[in-house]
Structures are given as C-alpha cells and as structure tokens.
Amino acid sequence: MYGQTEHCIDSKMALTRLACILVLLSTHCYFNVLAVILKTTNDAPWANEFESIELSCLIESISTKNPRIEWKKIKDGEPSYVYFEKKISGDLEGRAMIREPATLVITNATRSDSASYRCEVSAQTDLKSFDEILINLVVRVKPVVPKCAVPKSVPVGTAAELRCVEDQGFPKSQYQWFRNKEEIPDDPKTSPKFINSSYTLNAETGTLKFSAVRMNDSAEYFCRAKNDAGHSECGPQTMEIYDINIARIILGVLVVVLLCITVGLCFAYKRGYFASQKQTGNNYKAPAKGEGVDYVRAEDEGDFRHKSSFVI
C-alpha cells in the first residue's frame, strides 16, 4: 500500500514537471510568433567605388504576412528615404534593389553612398510590431594622380621642400616618396643609403623637407598616394644640386660690370658726347657793328678792318 502511494506521488511530480516545461515552451513560442525581430550579418560593411555592396536586413521572426519595410539613409544627421512604399528612391534610384525579404543591394556604389543606413520593419499584427537595424557603410575611393612639386635646382647646403597633394581618395591618402625608384624611409637612419641625408618625411601631409641638401641628393623623385582602395603616382621629376663657387660668382659680377661700362661708352660715343668742339670760320659769329661803322674781311688776315670812318 505504501509503495503504491509513493509511486503515485512520483508520477504526479513528473506530470507537474512536464506541464511546466510545456508552459515555458508555449510562452517562448508565443513571444517569437508575436514579435518582429531583425538581425544583420554585417553592421559595418565596406566596398570600393563602383562595386556592388549588400546591406543585409534579415527578419528572424514575424507573424504579419505583409510587413512594411523601409530603408533610410542618414548623412550629417539628416535622414532621407532610399526605399519607401516598395520603391527605390532618392540617391539610390536606378542603382539599387531589395533582395527578399528586406536586404538592400547597391549595384554601383559611389563615394556619396558612405553613410548610415537604417532598415525599419513594421508588423501591425505582432505584439512587438516594430524593429530596426542600423548599418554603417563605407565606400572606399582610390586616390587620383597626386600633384607633385619638386624644385629643379637647389644650391648645396641649403633647404629644399618637396610637396605631394591628393584630395579625392577615401579614406584620406597616406604618402610615400621615392628617389630613383627606391622608397625613401621615414627615418634616414634606418637605411644605409639615406643615412647621410638630412630630411623629414610627413606621410600625412606628403611633404619631404631637406634641412641641407647634399650633392648625392641630386636624383629623380616621385610621390605615391595610397589608401585601402589602391594607389596612384605622379611622374618622376629631377632635382639637381649644384655647388656654389664664390670666386666664380665674383668673376661673373666683374664681367657683367665691365660689359655694362663698355656698352655705355659705345652708346655715349655714338651720341656724340665725345666729339671735338673746335670753332671754324664758318661757324664764327661776328661781333655787333657799331653805329656808322662797316667792317670788311681781309683776304689775307683773319680779322676785320674799318671800311669807312665815323660819320659826324
């Protein structure tokens, strides 16, 4: 009798446990069926410009048959529709599509597509009727050919600056400089070929500054702009280092001065500044005649005589 009672108690406890398990399962299933839940496989995707990219928005659970699906692009804090009322719109019109149930596929990404995108799903008949997922898209842009400035000739021992600029790449470009096709290290002390050079290289701004150039710095230089999407280079440019000879400079100045003096003397002579100022009989000016006095020129004398006496 006692054994039968104990068996009944164990059976009741087992049934109670089973009932509790069924209640928990039913509650879990009820919650899943009456709640819209979204997930994504990648909340920070990236793509190179002009490639396709997928912004995944997966509906993990839902009971509403025809939920409302919308996509919004958020840039500089301002949201705008890119998928609304089952149509691609805004910036993505003509180059995007929806892959069921709610994934957004951009077929030709451009640099302006870098932004945050929000997938929103509304299910009116679900207990939890709304869910959303935020995805941050980065479109990488390959750098264009950078603009390089290399001085053509620099006196030995003086400073020189080489510049490299590129502003189209995304993310922001980093810069490398090359001398005779060999990369210039950030620190000259790390390479035996550059250990005697005195320069600073800024990979962020693209400037290569020599504090005092040496004769062996004469070479062809070019710059490379690079980022995660690729790289571009400018054409090589030659920088010539020349020696300053003080004696030659002084001699050159003297030659120029003598040449200027010679030219000035020739010009003055042609203008007649050095011509003889001799008086001749033809250009002699006769003195003014006194009243009643006439003068005649003697043939054999170089002066004048009275022609007639005074009239009284």
Side-chain angles (χ1 to χ4, degrees):
M1 181 71 179
Y2 176 77
Q4 290 179 352
T5 302
E6 186 178 0
H7 179 71
C8 290
I9 292 174
D10 291 341
S11 298
K12 288 180 179 179
M13 290 179 65
L15 289 173
T16 301
R17 290 176 181 174
L18 180 60
C20 290
I21 292 173
L22 291 173
V23 169
L24 290 173
L25 289 173
S26 63
T27 303
H28 180 71
C29 293
Y30 177 80
F31 176 77
N32 281 343
V33 169
L34 297 183
V36 54
I37 300 175
L38 304 180
K39 70 175 184 178
T40 182
T41 59
N42 188 358
D43 62 357
W46 61 266
N48 291 333
E49 192 173 29
F50 309 125
E51 293 180 350
S52 63
I53 183 65
E54 181 180 291
L55 310 184
S56 68
C57 182
L58 307 176
I59 302 177
E60 194 171 38
S61 68
I62 196 169
S63 62
T64 302
K65 291 185 178 180
N66 294 310
R68 187 180 69 188
I69 299 172
E70 296 175 351
W71 276 92
K72 293 177 183 177
K73 176 181 179 180
I74 305 170
K75 194 159 189 176
D76 299 327
E78 295 293 329
S80 60
Y81 281 106
V82 291
Y83 182 73
F84 181 70
E85 294 184 348
K86 298 182 179 182
K87 292 181 180 179
I88 300 293
S89 59
D91 295 342
L92 300 181
E93 187 174 359
R95 55 187 185 91
M97 57 181 288
I98 291 292
R99 180 177 295 164
E100 294 294 339
T103 294
L104 178 65
V105 180
I106 302 175
T107 57
N108 184 21
T110 65
R111 65 191 69 191
S112 63
D113 294 333
S114 292
S116 297
Y117 292 81
R118 189 166 63 214
C119 175
E120 301 176 356
V121 176
S122 300
Q124 295 180 353
T125 59
D126 285 48
L127 184 63
K128 179 178 178 292
S129 62
F130 179 81
D131 199 10
E132 63 181 24
I133 284 182
L134 189 67
I135 298 175
N136 297 309
L137 172 64
V138 173
V139 179
R140 306 186 308 192
V141 181
K142 178 183 175 181
V144 298
V145 175
K147 297 179 180 178
C148 302
V150 178
K152 293 183 178 180
S153 58
V154 183
V156 68
T158 61
E161 181 175 332
L162 287 68
R163 295 185 299 275
C164 183
V165 178
E166 189 283 324
D167 58 0
Q168 297 298 312
F170 186 84
K172 190 176 183 295
S173 293
Q174 297 288 305
Y175 299 95
Q176 295 172 293
W177 276 98
F178 294 80
R179 186 179 77 181
N180 292 335
K181 300 182 180 180
E182 184 171 1
E183 183 179 355
I184 299 176
D186 293 340
D187 186 356
K189 296 180 181 179
T190 60
S191 173
K193 293 184 178 181
F194 296 90
I195 195 169
N196 292 325
S197 297
S198 57
Y199 65 82
T200 55
L201 175 59
N202 191 324
E204 298 288 335
T205 62
T207 56
L208 174 61
K209 295 182 179 181
F210 290 88
S211 57
V213 295
R214 299 170 179 264
M215 293 301 296
N216 58 3
D217 290 324
S218 288
E220 283 189 341
Y221 292 83
F222 71 89
C223 170
R224 174 183 293 170
K226 65 175 184 176
N227 62 12
D228 294 335
H231 69 270
S232 293
E233 302 171 352
C234 64
Q237 301 179 39
T238 300
M239 182 173 72
E240 181 182 356
I241 310 301
Y242 63 91
D243 193 7
I244 299 178
N245 192 313
I246 302 299
R248 288 184 180 179
I249 294 176
I250 295 175
L251 181 60
V253 171
L254 290 176
V255 170
V256 171
V257 171
L258 291 174
L259 182 62
C260 292
I261 292 174
T262 303
V263 172
L265 291 174
C266 291
F267 179 80
Y269 183 79
K270 288 183 178 181
R271 288 284 186 175
Y273 293 114
F274 300 104
S276 178
Q277 297 291 334
K278 295 180 179 179
Q279 286 186 344
T280 62
N282 292 332
N283 59 12
Y284 182 82
K285 185 176 181 181
K289 294 188 298 182
E291 186 177 352
V293 180
D294 291 330
Y295 295 93
V296 294
R297 184 177 179 85
E299 295 296 334
D300 55 347
E301 295 179 349
D303 55 355
F304 292 87
R305 293 182 179 180
H306 288 288
K307 184 179 180 182
S308 59
S309 60
F310 290 93
V311 178
I312 298 176

